[in-house]
Structures are given as C-alpha cells and as structure tokens.
Amino acid sequence: MELLSNSTVQPEENEVYQSDRWSEFTLIDDAECDSEDVMDDHHEDADYSGGDCGQEPIYSGHWMSVHCAMVVILTYTMAHGLTGQQLSDLLTILNFFMLNSHPVFKSLYHFKKYFAQNDNPLIKHYFCSKCLSPISSFECEVCPNNLCKNNLKNKKTYFLEMPIKKQIQNFFCRDGFYEKIQHRFQRTKIVDSNVEDVYDGALYKRMFENNGPLSSPNNISFTWNTDGIPVFKSSKFSLWPIFLIINELPFKERTKQENMIFAGLWYGETKPVFSNFTTPLLRDLLDLENVGIGVQVNGKTVQSKAFMMFGSADLPAKSSVLNMVQFNGKYSCSKCLQPGINERTSAGGNIHIFPFIENDPSGPERTDEQCALDACLAAQCDPTGNSLGEQEISTSTEPVHGIKGPSFLLALESYNFVQGTTIDYMHGVLLGISKLLMSLWFTSQHSSQAFSLYSYLSLVDTRLLNIKITHNISRIPRSISSHFKYWKASELRSWLLYYSLPILADIMNEVYFYHYACFVESIHLLSGRSISDSDIEKSYKNLVYFVYMFKSLYGSRYCTLNMHSLLHLSESVLNTGPLWAINCFAFEDANGQLLKLFHGTQNVDMQIMSAANILHVLPRIIEKLPSDSNVLPFIKKLRRRNGSLFNQNLTPLGKSFSKDISSALYGSLVRCIGEVPSKVVFYSRLKIKNLLYHSLAYTRVVKRNSYTVKYQLNTERVFGHVLYYAQSFPRCVCEAEECSCKSTFVAFINRFQNSAPGIADFAAVDNFLDVSLNNIHSLKLTDTIDVVNAGRIDSLCLDISFDKTHGATHYVCEFPNVCEFD
C-alpha cells in the first residue's frame, strides 16, 4: 500500500511544487468598485501604513477601538453578502458620522489592508493543461514532460491549496476547541451497546479501542467531501472544494462551516484531475497520520495526529475521488462486486440496472486489498509500482472490477477504502429513491400504471398544505403539483419520515403502502438517536424486501445503483454511524455559503479561498475583543451563533401573564409541586434543555405547531398539546436578605389517547416483517388536562391532522433524533 502511494500518487522529491502565495484579503473584488476610487485608495498609502493600530480609538475620545469596529463591519459584510461597491459606500457613510475618522476607514483598499495582516497561506499549484504534468513555477514556458513539450503560454492551469496543517494549528489555538474534541470521552450514551454517533461505528472503534490512536485526547479524524458547484448560469465554470469535517467535535459544532477544514479548490470548465488535485492533501495526510503536528494545548506544545476515516459524496463525485466508473457503468457499486447489466428502455435508450440476486443480495463484498490490486492492474503496474509485461495485461486500458486506477485514499493506512466511503443518505435515499417514488406516483406520465396516485394529487396537495410543522423544520410544505421540481433534500426528508404515510394511508393500495412502509421504517430506524443491533437487522430485512419487490411493483428499469445501494445501507450504519452523523447536508450548506464569498467574475477562486481563510481566523479575531465589549451580542447575532443564552434547564421566554384556572386544575398544580404556592405566573413559551417549546397560548405563530409534546406521566410516555406553562413560587422561609427558594415550572397539557386503527394496522396484507411504524402514533384528543413538571417533557413532536373537528384522528410523529433538524 505504501509502495503504491509513492509510485502512483505522490510527486517525486524533485517535483515539489514551487507555489505562489497571497496575503491580500480578497473577499471583496476591487473590480466591482469604481476605478477612480481604487486608484485614490492606492495613492492614500501615506495615510495608513497597515501597521498594528487595532487598539487605537476610531477617533479621539470615542470608546470603540479600531479592531472592534473593523470586526463589526467585516461580520456585517459577510452576514449580508455586501458587494465591494456596497462596502465602499458603507465606509463612506460611516466617515460622515465621524469627527475625524481613522485612516483605516477611509477606503476599501485600507479596509482590506487591515485584514491582510492575517496570515493567508494559499498555495497555487500549476500543471500542463494538455498532459496534466505538474509545473514547477508560473514562469515555466515549456511543459517539463519530455513526451509533451507543450508550449505553456496561456495553456497552463492551476488549483488552489490551503494547507491543512496550518488550519489544524489554528483550530487548536481557539478558545474551547481542545475541550470540544473531548466529546467522544464525555458524551452520555442512552444504551452502551447501541450506535449513537460515528464513535460507535466499527471503523472508529477499531481505531479507538485497545489504546488505538484515536483513544488519545490529542488526536483527531476527518470525513472528506467534494462536489461540483455551478458558478454562473451562462457558463460551464464550476467550483470543486475539498472539505474535511473534524469528527471529534460535537455534531452541531463539526457541521458549522467555520469548524470545517477547507483543503483546496478547483475552479474551471472541466472536472478536477484528482491525481493532481489531491496530491498536496495526500502529502499532508500521510505526514499527519504517521508523524503528527505540534499544536498548542493549555500553553504547552503537544503532538497531534490526524486520520482520514470517512467520506461522503454524491455518486458522480464519489466515483471521481475513488477513481471508479460512474454509476451507469459495470461494477459501479463501491461496496460489492455485482456487475449489473444494461437494459433497453421503452424509449430506445439504455440504463444500467442491478437485478436482485436472491442467494446473495449484497455480495460478493469488495475488500481493500482487492481494490488496491485492481487499481494497480488498471494502472498497468504491480503493487510495488513496476510496470507489468504485455502478457500480464489482459485488459490494457479497461477498468478492473470498476476501478480505473489508484486513488489517494488507497495510500492512507487509516482509511478503509470500501467501508469508510459511506452511502450518502441525502443524495441516494432522499434525492434518489424518495424523489423517484414521488415522480412515479404523482406525474401524469405514469397515470395509467397501477401504482399511480395522479388522480389523488389534488387531495394530497390539500392535506400537505394543511400540515402545521414544528419550528425546527425550516421549510413549510409546498405543493407537489406546482413546486415538486424545486423541492430540496430537507423537504424530501420531511415527506419521507413524517408527511407521506399519514397522507397516503387511506388512498394507496395496501400492497404498495406496505412496501413503502418498509422503506420508511428502515430509514427512520437507521436515523435514530440510539440504534440497536435489532434495529440494524430489522432495517436490513425491510430493505431487502423493498428492493426485491420493486421490480414487480414498479419495473426493473428503476433498479439502478441508488436502489441497489439500499442493500448496503444497514451495514454502512454499523460501520460508520447513524445516517444523520455522516451525510452531505452540512457540506451542501457549506457549498452554498461559498457562492456568497465572491462578487463579480474576476479571480473568483482566490476571492473564495481568501474569504474562507477569514472565516477560519474570524473566531480568533473576535476573541481579541474585550469580554465586556458592547458589540459582542450584535456580532454573535450576525454570525447566527445559536448557543445557549441560559444556564438553566428551564427558562421562560416572553412576558409573563396572569390567568384564572379552575379549582380542579389548581388542585392538580398543588399535587404536582407538593405544596401550596405563594404565587403563580404563566408563560406561553419555555426553553427546556435549550430546546424551544410553544403552547397554545402563544398566538403569534399560526402556521406552525410547536406545542405537541411527548411527556412522562407516572411510568408512561404519553402525548398531548401544551396549553400554557406556569412558574410556581414557594412560600419563602429564607432568613437571608436574598431569597434562595427555587421556583418550579409546570406545564398544563391536553392529553391524547390511542385511536384505532393505527397506521400500521395492515388488514389486507400479511405483515410478515412485523412493520410497526412506532414513530407514528394514531391518537385522539381527550378532555383530560395533566399538570406535570416541565422537566418531564421528553420531546417535541409533529402533529398531522386533516380533520379539525374534536375527536378527529391525529398522527403524532416522533423525530428520530435531536440532531437532524433543518
């Protein structure tokens, strides 16, 4: 494996790239500003040297420092996506209000020069556009490849690298970073033996247990992603960033863009040449996993190693990184050696499908060793790097078992090439299978088919638009008939896990409904907060049935790689963790943010990389602000840091109000708190363990229902609608001047009861797989009002009801986890 990396991926020592570097902050493009303004800016250099003026006041006598003001302006600019001209105008307006402003505010040029003091280690790597050979310097005029000797004038291209070692060192210098990566040791598990994050997957445990390298508190690991992002509608130019997530951070922290490592950027009209693009990254990763890097921890230098562990990408990008054939090719599954077949479509085209193999649905399995050998055979070299003789090469330029040649991932000892590359839940399950099913059901093209629900589309739309979602689902349901082609993956996730079964229960043929319910239950189980071995086993059996029956119910032409990959999904969770823990949602959000980091059409790649560098150093810049600075709350708001604003587990929001309650409810309140209160005040909203809950008393929101909850009543878990919250104060017995008696928060909840039949009562089919759909409860509201301690509220639920009359059935859906919110 080591010989493979040295011979086929890494450059020779005498080919180490001599690279151009930048230190200018190019978040804002000068080309967008008036040329005269830019010229004036440069002539004003005498007014401002660019030195350290951060602690000076913005003008004599003002309390705010230059550094504080610059951070506020920068944060505002990035939060609202200001163009260069807009920022220039903003600086001009600010100067109108200053008595004698500091030179740093006088122009856009000076503003950028202030932030140029932050080290920006961008590296430009050139290569020949014809033969792809690396070029030592920009001045090189002829390709160094003797077989090419191409004239390089206007024919060399490049990609950008942001060295990951420097980024890792910067992360460790951040306040609280080292403490956050101890999450793997400090988390509280629900069930010790269950899969509850990436740390419980077989691959991570292999590196953690028995004093493995990831058992050290100083070491970290990565998940990689790359994808093409179209830049302009009128051209083929696209961005290909490489992002790395640090797995040891808590989930909400590791998915923030500011905590991702931005390793490189390819920008151009063609897809990346990954053998070139990943060479600098491979060099650093090999060094990090074998030697490590010195980082600062509590004022001391310690050695930290880093390991590539997982990868997630859509099928085209994954194939490119793994150096395999695309999804429509033979042996395109990265998990097994099933070749698939080409099938002729009714329209006269061809499609590559994977017929269900009954005696081995998900096999034969690939192994890392076989993949390395196949890569060598495809590259016409043996595992030692020596070329094969003509008699040893049977398929010259053809892929071997779908592998076209070496991938940089094969050279990493820590990376499991087969199992570490996950099946992406976002693209495969949601944008793949779920969207396919909806297209089959609801488009006129298939209206004559037995599975079609096209005649019910109006009813489905009506039901869908009447759903009142919770506040943690960002997108309100949109019409299928009018907006389906614009649906995002998050909308498809909500449809799959929550909306679809209640909507389709009484209109879909039961055979098709049971088949679909198997799919939904499997995805819900594999997305769970705590996944048991029995959950893994059940999901696999359900998915085997779902894939097996798809040909009979919908046709063989839809049994493509996405469908086949479902057979590997359960094992993927067992190896890498729940579906929510590793997928492309966070990376897609980061890609969307990249498009906001440049303005205009000039030097797009450098604008983005420089801006990304600022994103990484911005937390450290903000840390330089005094802790009592008046602007910190505003900066945190602009950066959308939704951290806890409260130290308590229970915190009321909004103004309190008074309310008359019946003697029966007052008696229930007294029994709940165990004493007669001295005072009771009421609230319409409450934060419980930093999660927001509404009540029916909160009338400002009418299109959402964030008051349906699951709560503990004695030894039972029941559901209900929160009517309002109350804060009960005890009779004070304190002798001290300040009262230390603790108040109690309670919730008044209108209870649900079970309603028959349930959504999983399959009367017309044999439920031989024991599909239970335990996350969707068929309930009816009662007249009973429970008064419970607010701390006994377990979770927020989604209430779906199509009949507003009293006694109507409510489908109350539990969320599979507390991480996967929009």
Side-chain angles (χ1 to χ4, degrees), residues 134-400:
I135 300 169
S136 59
S137 69
F138 179 77
E139 288 74 22
C140 186
E141 295 184 355
V142 178
C143 177
N145 183 351
N146 291 327
L147 298 178
C148 179
K149 292 297 182 181
N150 184 37
N151 185 341
L152 295 178
K153 186 177 181 181
N154 300 323
K155 291 185 179 180
K156 47 182 179 289
T157 187
Y158 64 88
F159 61 89
L160 295 174
E161 176 200 359
M162 188 180 284
I164 65 175
K165 290 182 180 179
K166 180 65 176 177
Q167 295 181 66
I168 292 171
Q169 290 174 323
N170 286 338
F171 281 142
F172 272 89
C173 288
R174 289 186 189 175
D175 285 346
F177 176 82
Y178 185 74
E179 289 72 21
K180 288 176 181 176
I181 63 171
Q182 309 311 311
H183 172 66
R184 64 197 131 153
F185 308 109
Q186 300 166 353
R187 65 194 176 114
T188 302
K189 293 199 64 175
I190 300 171
V191 180
D192 285 341
S193 59
N194 283 5
V195 176
E196 299 178 3
D197 206 337
V198 294
Y199 322 116
D200 303 313
L203 297 184
Y204 196 98
K205 289 165 72 174
R206 198 175 301 161
M207 294 281 286
F208 183 89
E209 295 175 343
N210 300 318
N211 295 317
L214 289 178
S215 66
S216 167
N218 300 331
N219 295 343
I220 57 177
S221 65
F222 304 131
T223 296
W224 64 264
N225 171 266
T226 188
D227 196 6
I229 316 168
V231 179
F232 307 111
K233 293 182 179 179
S234 57
S235 76
K236 296 180 180 179
F237 277 88
S238 63
L239 303 169
W240 284 78
I242 296 179
F243 282 113
L244 305 179
I245 272 180
I246 299 174
N247 298 316
E248 286 63 35
L249 290 169
F251 178 78
K252 291 186 178 180
E253 290 294 323
R254 65 182 180 247
T255 54
K256 291 180 180 178
Q257 187 180 0
E258 68 188 50
N259 293 332
M260 292 184 189
I261 292 175
F262 193 5
L265 183 73
W266 182 286
Y267 173 67
E269 293 186 275
T270 61
K271 288 184 178 182
V273 180
F274 278 94
S275 58
N276 284 356
F277 189 27
T278 58
T279 295
L281 176 60
L282 175 60
R283 176 198 63 218
D284 284 352
L285 288 172
L286 287 171
D287 198 31
L288 285 168
E289 74 173 20
N290 291 312
V291 181
I293 187 174
V295 297
Q296 291 295 308
V297 175
N298 299 324
K300 298 180 180 179
T301 300
V302 301
Q303 201 72 0
S304 174
K305 290 186 176 182
F307 307 89
M308 184 71 83
M309 287 292 296
F310 311 115
S312 182
D314 64 12
L315 289 177
K318 181 165 68 173
S319 299
S320 297
V321 174
L322 300 183
N323 205 4
M324 292 184 62
V325 298
Q326 286 293 332
F327 59 90
N328 55 355
K330 191 176 181 181
Y331 292 105
S332 53
C333 178
S334 63
K335 301 291 185 183
C336 73
L337 290 169
Q338 290 188 25
I341 61 172
N342 284 329
E343 181 174 284
R344 198 80 173 165
T345 66
S346 57
N350 282 299
I351 191 166
H352 197 77
I353 65 169
F354 288 80
F356 186 87
I357 300 176
E358 292 191 34
N359 61 343
D360 193 6
S362 56
E365 294 182 1
R366 289 185 185 267
T367 65
D368 278 22
E369 294 74 18
Q370 184 63 50
C371 288
L373 179 60
D374 290 343
C376 290
L377 290 171
Q380 302 183 16
C381 65
D382 66 24
T384 64
N386 299 317
S387 298
L388 296 173
E390 291 184 6
Q391 295 179 350
E392 296 173 280
I393 302 173
S394 58
T395 55
S396 60
T397 59
E398 289 188 7
V400 179

Side-chain angles (χ1 to χ4, degrees), residues 684-820:
S684 58
R685 291 178 297 161
L686 192 68
K687 262 199 170 181
I688 305 174
K689 297 178 182 177
N690 209 37
L691 295 176
L692 177 62
Y693 293 82
H694 291 179
S695 70
L696 278 163
Y698 187 64
T699 57
R700 292 183 61 183
V701 175
V702 296
K703 291 188 177 181
R704 293 177 183 265
N705 172 347
S706 296
Y707 48 79
T708 301
V709 297
K710 179 181 179 181
Y711 61 102
Q712 302 174 45
L713 184 65
N714 300 322
T715 58
E716 294 183 87
R717 293 291 197 280
V718 293
F719 301 87
H721 285 166
V722 179
L723 303 176
Y724 38 80
Y725 304 97
Q727 185 177 15
S728 171
F729 296 88
R731 297 189 180 278
C732 181
V733 294
C734 297
E735 296 181 0
E737 290 185 7
E738 293 187 6
C739 175
S740 60
C741 298
K742 293 184 179 179
S743 61
T744 303
F745 286 96
V746 299
F748 291 74
I749 306 177
N750 189 183
R751 193 198 309 170
F752 279 113
Q753 69 178 13
N754 290 330
S755 171
I759 199 165
D761 291 344
F762 304 105
V765 295
D766 177 17
N767 187 8
F768 67 99
L769 290 171
D770 194 27
V771 176
S772 56
L773 302 175
N774 287 331
N775 62 303
I776 303 177
H777 307 269
S778 301
L779 306 171
K780 289 185 178 181
L781 272 175
T782 67
D783 294 325
T784 303
I785 297 176
D786 296 318
V787 182
V788 299
N789 188 300
R792 296 180 71 83
I793 293 178
D794 284 340
S795 58
L796 188 65
C797 300
L798 177 63
D799 180 10
I800 297 176
S801 179
F802 310 123
D803 186 348
K804 305 305 179 185
T805 60
H806 184 72
T809 298
H810 292 249
Y811 296 102
V812 176
C813 307
E814 295 186 68
F815 297 107
N817 58 75
V818 295
C819 299
E820 195 181 24

